[in-house]
Amino acid sequence: MDDFAERLDDVARQAHAAGAWSYAAGQKPNLEPTCLALLALSLDRPRQEAAIERGLHFLRQNRQADGSFRVADGRREAMWPMALVLFTQASLGVPANELRPAALRLLGIEGKTVDDPEVAQQQDIDIGLVGWPWGEGNFSWVEPTAWAVLALRRAGYGGHTRVAQGQRLLLDRAFDTGGINYGNRRVLGKMTEPMLGPTALMLLALQGHADHPRIDAALDYLRREAPAGLDLEHLCWARLALHAHGKDVAAFDDWIRQGRRQRDDARWLRPVLMRDALAALALNCERGNPFRLDGVALPEQPPAVVPAFKGPRPSLGERFRSYLRRVALNSAANLRVLPPQAEVHIAPAVDYDGDLTAILRQQYECFRAQVPLRGKRVVLKPNLVEYHRDKVINTDPRVVAAAIELCKAEGAAEIVVAEGPGHCRNVEYLVSAS
């Protein structure tokens, strides 16, 4: 069996019992990793037909009455995976009549805009442009807008005015020097930095606009920056986007393989299943790149946009369960009354190479009685936000290491380092880079 077949078989084996895929082993199946796995398996559909059908069944099980897709225990406002599902279903040949409810639902969702001249003067972007939000009732962001544009184009709605709006927003947010980030170029008078993941998705959504100078600049940015650090997710998305734009991507093969070996060798990393699907897609896009939109037909008449869905009134049972949750939370908050004043301890440290653990132990003497650690499960949140090689942004890893040592010395039963950054979704990259 060749490497290609083995790669896809490995993706298929990682499916949950429900026939879908999760972000990591031991977690519940979710829409995003399922979509990426299905797109990878579609490269060899005859051999993987059974696994594909189970995955498509899982997607249908999570289809809501309004046409959207949400996992049962997920946040109701989080509508962004709907675009991934629509794109995947359209790529796998789901009939147009089955795609239509999700497409109309997606067309009816708009990001909020700010009608404030003072705010507009502080920005170097057009804040009146409308794209798609991560969650309903929120503002437009680059990644959900790129996914919505991709999905609607793949499903045959590329001639709709909303698609053109979304593409204008993406071009407006891109840097002249190359790349794009979550949606802002300048914040509080300071220029921000582009990011590799959003840049690749933007380029996929903007296929057909190769004559725009910001597209060329973004392609150069991907070729130049993606190999740095050998982050597997960045390399895969970059290869897929560059290939979709007809660029030579042969050099990325070795980098992706190095990135996989580097990830496998990092014992602290928890395996992320969807990265295996991404690697299978990226390394085999010459066999078929589902993100390439060559020959995608446009409709003669765009369908009418449906109004934003307000959602049905929760049932009596749902309202009662919500009430019980509020009571439980309030009761938990009242179990332990916090002191009227909090204490703060400040200690000097000459540099990060000193004995930080000793400094933390000295500080902890002031708090041991109020915050005992013995036998407790401790969660450390280091505030990882973004990474830049020349700027101090994140908590230094040596401070986190010192906090871990303190917790161990105090007899903590379990220590968890947890983070969910709002800007960069690639947490693995943030941790390893910083």
Side-chain angles (χ1 to χ4, degrees), residues 196 219-236 238-239 242 249 251-256 258-259 262 389 429:
L196 290 162
L219 291 167
D220 288 340
Y221 166 76
L222 271 192
R223 280 190 294 250
R224 182 178 67 251
E225 297 295 334
L230 295 177
D231 179 76
L232 184 60
E233 189 170 324
H234 288 161
L235 289 167
C236 290
R239 193 186 197 282
L242 290 167
V249 291
F252 276 77
D253 292 5
D254 285 340
W255 293 329
I256 290 173
Q258 289 180 54
Q262 182 172 290
R389 62 177 65 90
Y429 164 73

Side-chain angles (χ1 to χ4, degrees), residues 95-271:
N97 63 327
E98 188 176 338
L99 301 176
R100 182 176 172 83
L104 293 178
R105 181 73 183 91
L106 192 58
L107 286 166
I109 295 173
E110 297 183 354
K112 289 171 62 177
T113 57
V114 179
D115 185 15
D116 187 329
E118 184 176 345
V119 173
Q121 289 177 0
Q122 298 172 2
Q123 302 290 330
D124 64 343
I125 57 176
D126 185 348
I127 62 174
L129 290 174
V130 178
W132 279 266
W134 288 107
E136 288 188 85
N138 213 314
F139 297 93
S140 302
W141 297 98
V142 164
E143 290 178 81
T145 297
W147 271 116
V149 169
L150 259 176
L152 290 167
R153 293 184 71 185
R154 174 64 76 193
Y157 294 77
H160 201 283
T161 54
R162 288 299 317 282
V163 173
Q165 287 176 338
Q167 291 180 319
R168 282 199 298 273
L169 182 143
L170 294 173
L171 284 169
D172 176 75
R173 302 299 196 262
F175 289 81
D176 290 326
T177 53
I180 198 170
N181 55 34
Y182 37 85
N184 293 311
R185 281 198 302 263
R186 187 177 66 199
V187 176
L188 299 177
K190 302 289 185 180
M191 292 302 293
T192 59
E193 302 283 341
M195 295 180 175
L196 290 162
T199 299
L201 287 174
M202 174 198 75
L203 286 169
L204 291 172
L206 290 174
Q207 292 173 67
H209 291 267
D211 55 340
H212 197 287
R214 288 183 177 174
I215 298 297
D216 277 338
L219 291 167
D220 288 340
Y221 166 76
L222 271 192
R223 280 190 294 250
R224 182 178 67 251
E225 297 295 334
L230 295 177
D231 179 76
L232 184 60
E233 189 170 324
H234 288 161
L235 289 167
C236 290
W237 280 120
R239 193 186 197 282
L240 289 164
L242 290 167
H243 177 266
H245 281 262
K247 304 300 181 182
D248 181 17
V249 291
F252 276 77
D253 292 5
D254 285 340
W255 293 329
I256 290 173
R257 292 187 180 96
Q258 289 180 54
R260 292 193 72 177
R261 287 195 295 270
Q262 182 172 290
R263 188 199 68 177
D264 293 341
D265 292 341
R267 296 181 181 179
W268 57 270
L269 285 179
R270 186 178 187 182

